Amino acid sequence: MELKFPDGAVKEFEDGATVKDVAASISMSLAKKAVCGKLDGKFVDLNQKLSDGSIEIVTKDSDDGRIALWHTAAVVLSAALHDLYPNVKFGEGGVTEHGFYFDTDKEDGQVGEADFEKLTKKMEEIVKAKEKIEFVEYDLDEALKLVENDEYQTEIVKENAADGKVYGHKLLNHVDFTSPVSLEDAGKVKVFKVLSVAGAYWKGASSNPMLQRIYGTAFSKQKELDEELKRQQEAHERDHRVIGNNLDLFFVDPKVGAGLPYWMPNGATIRRTIERYIIDKEVSWGYEHVYTPILANVDLYKQSGHWDHYREDMFPPMDMGDGELLELRPMNCPSHIQIYNRHIRSYRDLPLRIAELGMMHRYEKSGALTGLSRVREMTLNDGHTFVTPDQIEAEFKRTLQLMVEVYHDFNINDYRFRLSYRDPKNTHKYYDDDEMWEKSQRMLKAAMDDLGLEYFEAEGEAAFYGPKLDVQTKTALGGEETLSTIQLDFLLPERFDLKYIGADGEEHRPVMIHRGIVSTMERFTAYLTEMYKGAFPTWLAPKQVEVIPVNLDLHTDYARKLASALAARQIRVSVDDRNEKMGYKIRQAQVNKVPYTLVVGDNEKDQGTVTVRRYGQEKTETMAFDDFKKILNHDLETYSRNED
RNA sequence: GCCACUUUAGCUCAGCAGGUAGAGCAUCACCAUGGUAAGGUGGGGGUCACCGGUUCAAGUCCGGUAAGUGGCUCCA
């Protein structure tokens, strides 16, 4: 991706580059000029008068100058902190998708939410006074003197220096060397809000000290701030943990353990439906489904390499007292390898596709656990295809095709492909075979190019045994997660000495393709819950039809008759025969997001009809019961596709 | 694991100056109830997460533990 700068310079950025990366690169090399260009699908637009007097560049569909505004807000925040706590130190500041942040280190106790009021007040003072923000060029020595008691800023100043000069933004008596750009005065930060505080490692490395990251957001109009706060509220309401609670899908009980979810009947119904769907789908695509134990002797994982490369994510082995050590499996691959090795395999058997809804356990760090999307016990829609080397490309493409078809059935459209390579600077974390890595990474890329699919590349995201194609999706709260994955693996076949007999009668080494299409049942259910906002399509909905009699004495029998007829066809249906008013029951059905509510009274009973209300719609329609059954059938046959 | 914050009824929360607990929803009972988003009255329900400390007295203050939330680091 190319970004054009106002002085005519053109700079190349990797597709995965963040706004921060771009900002960082213009910070010193181009000294405060504007950038424009498309980044992450969003326009970066600094079309405002900047503190050095330059004005630049308009693009349409711009972001209204928010990037520059947020950098300015970060400068104001740092100046306010400096004023309130003269000895405070500063890490890096920057912008996010929805606002700005600044890292700080206040030696006498950390900055907490208790400081927000004071901090907001001080920022307001600075904003109201429309204090000038000057873009100042310093000699390096001079700048280092300014930050001499702040080891973080000292490092930043040294990094940013070029030709013995360094640039900073001066606001009141504070100079910020971190923010790449700023508007000309603090008054531009008309409406802002300090939102939260969180820990963040200096330079993003967990071996470094942790600083306090203060998040905020800012806009030029109150209305925009209100919209942003509303957006946050809506995001919260579609969070699968909130919906999961409201619809009674699952829970986690501290008495049982963190990251060990219980599936309530409603959640279990959704999960069971996904499981049946994917098993049937995979069987029709030539996968052979198996069952394998979730426990295995620790030697299995020593042979696979998990013990050496993955141990910190594994539960410690159980010592059975007689020298036997049993391990809860963290992955299913070694299990499927046992299946492969059960027989001598011929090239005629390949591709051999082994699949399982495999339960596995990973000791995720406590801080990483999140509802259903990050857990310690999970069931993966796992599959391993064993292929000859010249079948890799075709099988990879075929797997991708399966994935696209499944996504279509679930109506999943918002995702992007990531090619995940090993980190070339940290090769010790991976299986040590440079040639294998080069070869397989090239192979993946070539296949994607050949299919003409868009993707981005990321180093350091590979599995320890090989590179991956990951499908990245967004959670309700904006975090990015891997849903599906396809992984090439030359390592495990080696370690387990896998073989097949070729047409030449000789032994050859197969290649493994690991893949998960609908992810783990946990994460996939969480994802669907957020995507559908709890209003699951008919085929997935825990309850598909609610029947409400107008009068309990006169119409309950008819309601029950309808319900039995539907239940006989595996429709999940119930009759609401509680002693409540009809309006109350209809409300309940809507709150519980039941796809169809049938109201039946005299008219319906006499004519064999039902009055149908779809979830989320106010209009109702009276139709023959048989016609309603046809609608249901259509829903169930087409899943959630938008074909009607 | 790290930093900040949080933990009160089944759920969502109030209790903001230490004096042994409240609301709405849900639940139960009774009354009412015929057409598309909450009918009324009453009842039951809480060792205020757990352990320890300060105090005449702790839901409230202090320390520890656990879990959760927001991030960071790591990942399906």
Side-chain angles (χ1 to χ4, degrees):
Chain A
M1 172 183 57
E2 284 184 350
L3 288 183
K4 291 197 194 72
F5 291 85
D7 62 355
V10 174
K11 205 163 150 56
E12 180 71 22
F13 290 91
E14 287 184 19
D15 281 355
T18 63
V19 169
K20 200 172 147 195
D21 295 331
V22 176
S25 95
I26 63 168
S27 113
M28 292 308 130
S29 62
L30 289 158
K32 304 306 121 179
K33 293 286 165 76
V35 296
C36 74
K38 204 170 180 188
L39 181 63
D40 254 1
K42 289 186 179 57
F43 281 97
V44 177
D45 168 32
L46 304 185
N47 176 36
Q48 298 245 11
K49 191 171 181 193
L50 302 176
S51 48
D52 69 340
S54 71
I55 303 178
E56 261 317 319
I57 300 288
V58 191
T59 60
K60 30 183 193 172
D61 303 318
S62 75
D63 75 337
D64 301 323
R66 282 184 184 170
I67 306 291
L69 179 68
W70 287 337
H71 277 301
T72 309
V75 175
V76 173
L77 170 61
S78 64
L81 283 164
H82 180 93
D83 189 82
L84 290 171
Y85 316 106
N87 293 323
V88 71
K89 296 173 182 176
F90 292 100
E92 294 173 311
V95 300
T96 65
E97 204 176 334
H98 299 289
F100 63 90
Y101 66 86
F102 222 109
D103 289 352
T104 68
D105 181 7
K106 183 160 77 83
E107 281 173 332
D108 47 337
Q110 300 292 9
V111 178
E113 282 168 25
D115 300 281
F116 282 11
E117 201 183 321
K118 219 166 31 165
L119 190 54
T120 303
K121 223 167 144 189
K122 177 52 72 181
M123 287 175 71
E124 264 166 9
E125 262 177 55
I126 297 173
V127 168
K128 285 211 175 103
K130 297 189 176 169
E131 300 288 354
K132 287 272 171 267
I133 299 174
E134 287 177 74
F135 179 61
V136 185
E137 182 183 287
Y138 293 91
D139 289 328
L140 181 55
D141 293 345
E142 194 186 351
L144 286 174
K145 189 128 178 67
L146 278 171
V147 298
E148 63 184 348
N149 295 319
D150 185 335
E151 62 270 26
Y152 311 112
Q153 285 297 304
T154 298
E155 199 173 323
I156 286 172
V157 164
K158 282 181 182 163
E159 280 171 10
N160 287 349
D163 303 328
K165 303 283 185 195
V166 67
Y167 301 99
H169 286 100
K170 189 166 190 296
L171 172 55
L172 298 170
N173 61 352
H174 172 66
V175 181
D176 167 31
F177 291 100
T178 307
S179 302
V181 293
S182 171
L183 301 175
E184 60 188 339
D185 78 79
K188 295 283 191 295
V189 188
K190 287 204 180 84
V191 193
F192 69 89
K193 189 169 168 67
V194 181
L195 291 172
S196 61
V197 56
Y201 296 108
W202 166 238
K203 295 260 163 186
S206 57
S207 50
N208 283 339
M210 180 162 271
L211 310 179
Q212 296 306 110
R213 177 166 295 178
I214 300 169
Y215 285 94
T217 191
F219 299 94
S220 48
K221 296 190 188 90
Q222 180 65 38
K223 200 176 137 223
E224 293 173 313
L225 175 62
D226 293 343
E227 278 167 13
E228 169 61 16
L229 295 178
K230 195 175 153 211
R231 189 199 61 77
Q232 286 180 15
Q233 177 62 25
E234 282 170 1
H236 171 72
E237 280 165 13
R238 72 186 293 180
D239 188 315
H240 78 275
R241 289 163 297 186
V242 174
I243 296 175
N245 194 29
N246 292 341
L247 299 185
D248 208 19
L249 303 181
F250 73 96
F251 69 93
V252 187
D253 185 349
K255 274 201 292 287
V256 175
L260 302 173
Y262 275 60
W263 295 71
M264 292 298 281
N266 287 343
T269 299
I270 295 165
R271 170 173 170 169
R272 187 175 61 248
T273 307
I274 297 167
E275 290 180 342
R276 288 175 174 171
Y277 162 86
I278 194 66
I279 290 176
D280 288 348
K281 174 68 90 181
E282 285 175 346
V283 167
S284 78
W285 275 65
Y287 285 86
E288 308 196 61
H289 263 262
V290 299
Y291 296 98
T292 59
I294 63 169
L295 283 172
N297 193 295
V298 74
D299 290 341
L300 186 68
Y301 303 104
K302 285 184 177 164
Q303 189 176 356
S304 70
H306 287 99
W307 187 253
D308 287 338
H309 292 279
Y310 204 71
R311 200 184 330 172
E312 61 176 31
D313 289 293
M314 291 162 64
F315 279 86
M318 286 169 263
D319 186 345
M320 304 317 290
D322 54 0
E324 187 182 22
L325 291 176
L326 286 178
E327 183 63 53
L328 273 170
R329 70 174 171 201
M331 289 181 178
N332 306 311
C333 354
S335 308
H336 290 180
I337 285 172
Q338 301 313 302
I339 300 255
Y340 181 91
N341 267 343
R342 172 73 176 160
H343 298 298
I344 291 181
R345 304 292 181 177
S346 150
Y347 73 99
R348 297 172 192 273
D349 297 330
L350 308 186
L352 182 69
R353 306 182 182 93
I354 304 295
E356 178 177 10
L357 295 171
M359 180 184 279
M360 49 201 208
H361 293 78
R362 297 181 183 175
Y363 193 77
E364 298 292 343
K365 295 200 170 88
S366 59
L369 301 171
T370 309
L372 277 185
S373 52
R374 196 79 185 272
V375 292
R376 285 180 173 158
E377 177 187 286
M378 68 215 87
T379 298
L380 180 64
N381 163 230
D382 210 353
H384 297 91
T385 303
F386 300 84
V387 295
T388 68
D390 57 6
Q391 289 171 336
I392 294 175
E393 193 178 330
E395 185 62 20
F396 175 79
K397 288 177 180 170
R398 192 176 185 274
T399 308
L400 208 49
Q401 205 186 332
L402 167 61
M403 200 205 83
V404 167
E405 201 173 300
V406 170
Y407 274 34
H408 182 63
D409 283 343
F410 284 97
N411 219 357
I412 300 173
N413 304 307
D414 188 16
Y415 58 87
R416 52 189 200 140
F417 293 117
R418 178 180 76 189
L419 287 180
S420 302
Y421 304 147
R422 71 173 170 168
D423 181 355
K425 283 171 242 139
N426 258 316
T427 51
H428 67 275
K429 281 168 65 182
Y430 306 91
Y431 176 59
D432 182 21
D433 181 344
D434 291 345
E435 195 193 324
M436 179 283 275
W437 281 96
E438 291 305 320
K439 191 171 94 183
S440 50
Q441 290 180 180
R442 263 202 317 274
M443 201 175 284
L444 274 184
K445 189 173 160 63
M448 290 301 283
D449 287 337
D450 195 42
L451 288 167
L453 292 170
E454 273 188 43
Y455 58 86
F456 68 101
E457 296 163 286
E459 287 177 341
E461 299 288 349
F464 76 82
Y465 48 73
K468 312 189 281 180
L469 169 75
D470 291 321
V471 182
Q472 299 300 107
T473 53
K474 287 235 166 135
T475 66
L477 298 183
E480 195 170 61
E481 262 176 2
T482 303
L483 206 58
S484 308
T485 179
I486 307 176
Q487 312 175 355
L488 294 192
D489 180 7
F490 297 81
L491 168 64
L492 291 180
E494 203 67 46
R495 297 195 72 126
F496 283 93
D497 196 24
L498 299 189
K499 294 169 199 146
Y500 65 90
I501 310 297
D504 55 4
E506 301 291 319
E507 290 181 344
H508 298 275
R509 185 79 72 210
V511 177
M512 279 175 81
I513 298 176
H514 308 238
R515 35 107 295 170
I517 303 296
V518 292
S519 185
T520 61
M521 296 306 108
E522 288 75 15
R523 180 171 289 182
F524 198 64
T525 303
Y527 179 77
L528 291 182
T529 302
E530 296 183 355
M531 189 182 99
Y532 293 127
K533 298 184 185 147
F536 292 93
T538 311
W539 72 291
L540 287 168
K543 186 189 288 183
Q544 297 167 317
V545 180
E546 185 80 82
V547 189
I548 300 176
V550 171
N551 178 289
L552 282 185
D553 291 333
L554 301 176
H555 310 128
T556 305
D557 285 348
Y558 180 59
R560 291 214 175 108
K561 210 178 94 192
L562 299 180
S564 317
L566 294 175
R569 311 173 82 172
Q570 274 76 52
I571 301 296
R572 298 183 287 272
V573 57
S574 65
V575 176
D576 192 344
D577 55 3
R578 290 176 298 172
N579 246 342
E580 296 287 349
K581 297 198 107 168
M582 204 185 73
Y584 175 83
K585 296 179 185 178
I586 285 165
R587 178 169 197 277
Q588 291 291 302
Q590 292 296 308
V591 167
N592 291 322
K593 302 178 196 289
V594 179
Y596 293 100
T597 305
L598 306 184
V599 173
V600 293
D602 282 345
N603 297 340
E604 290 79 5
K605 188 178 169 186
D606 293 345
Q607 293 166 31
T609 58
V610 291
T611 297
V612 182
R613 175 168 170 165
R614 273 194 106 117
Y615 169 74
Q617 295 186 0
E618 292 196 14
K619 73 173 165 69
T620 61
E621 192 183 348
T622 302
M623 63 183 76
F625 183 49
D626 282 346
D627 288 339
F628 174 66
K629 286 194 281 196
K630 279 180 199 150
I631 291 179
L632 274 182
N633 281 343
H634 179 261
D635 274 13
L636 299 178
E637 277 162 16
T638 59
Y639 304 106
S640 52
R641 297 176 201 167
N642 297 318
E643 287 176 0
D644 33 339

